[in-house]
Amino acid sequence: VTSKQEHESDVWTPCFAEDGRVVTKKGTPTTRPRPRDAEELRNRHRLIGAAWVMVHMQHASRPWLDGVTVRTWEKFTDFVVGETVAKYQVKMGNGQSTPAPAWFVVLNYEHQLRKKAYELVQEGTNMVVALKAAMECDKTRQMHFTTPLQLEIGRNQNRPQGYGKGDGSGYVKPK
């Protein structure tokens, strides 16, 4: 998601029309790096929320847009950056907690949640209901959050003591 300030609209880009003709469009497809932290993700979700509200204002008769507000996306953001996903930790038997998930795991899961919600909307589900259903979908959580998180924790536990310290080689000389 990019904002108008981040988009260069002075460039003309060639593309193919449905009938095979080559046409030009003003502006280039803009790609942005992934959000570096929760605040950048929150800002992108604000843009997404505002865009959906604008679509709702232009197409008020569409039932799948009923009830879409900026707050809808704020709740989604709170879910992703909150205790349930980005700050998720489990108390272990020894009293310690697991580390919070890696940011790339959180971002991948967030992407899969939006993808699931959009699929539900295409099937005719209301956007508000679709987002909630995506957040509650056990299969999506298992495949795109819990399993990668377990693999990451297992990989970190199996590293030798001292791994990652020193000159970057992963090996620490014994004293």
Side-chain angles (χ1 to χ4, degrees), residues 1-173:
V1 175
T2 59
S3 65
K4 189 173 181 179
Q5 291 83 9
E6 298 168 334
H7 187 74
E8 296 178 26
S9 60
D10 296 342
V11 180
W12 289 86
T13 306
C15 58
F16 291 98
E18 289 181 15
D19 61 1
R21 293 179 299 123
V22 176
V23 295
T24 57
K25 288 187 176 181
K26 191 173 182 179
T28 58
T30 304
T31 58
R32 299 278 301 140
R34 290 178 163 223
R36 290 185 306 253
D37 56 22
E39 278 311 305
E40 282 190 17
L41 183 63
R42 193 175 295 279
N43 288 337
R44 297 219 183 149
H45 283 181
R46 282 187 192 118
L47 287 172
I48 293 171
W52 277 105
V53 169
M54 294 297 290
V55 169
H56 177 55
M57 290 169 62
Q58 292 174 349
H59 304 281
S61 63
R62 307 287 168 105
W64 50 273
L65 291 170
D66 285 344
V68 173
T69 65
V70 174
R71 182 70 187 130
T72 304
W73 285 93
E74 286 174 356
K75 288 178 184 176
F76 178 70
T77 305
D78 292 342
F79 173 78
V80 172
V81 301
E83 303 291 325
T84 313
V85 180
K87 297 177 183 175
Y88 183 73
Q89 291 185 313
V90 176
K91 274 278 201 218
M92 304 299 278
N94 60 5
Q96 294 181 341
S97 294
T98 59
W103 187 241
F104 73 89
V105 172
V106 172
L107 289 179
N108 182 52
Y109 181 51
E110 180 270 342
H111 173 76
Q112 296 300 327
L113 288 173
R114 282 188 291 121
K115 184 176 173 183
K116 176 75 174 173
Y118 294 153
E119 288 170 0
L120 292 171
V121 167
Q122 286 179 335
E123 294 170 5
T125 306
N126 176 285
M127 173 55 83
V128 177
V129 175
L131 272 175
K132 187 173 181 178
M135 290 186 286
E136 294 173 353
C137 180
D138 291 334
K139 183 177 178 184
T140 303
R141 185 172 181 86
Q142 178 73 34
M143 288 177 57
H144 301 288
F145 182 69
T146 309
T147 301
L149 181 59
Q150 289 172 343
L151 292 173
E152 179 188 358
I153 290 170
R155 185 173 53 242
N156 290 339
Q157 286 178 348
N158 293 332
R159 290 185 176 165
Q161 190 172 7
Y163 183 85
K165 297 179 182 173
D167 63 357
S169 67
Y171 177 75
V172 177
K173 282 186 179 179

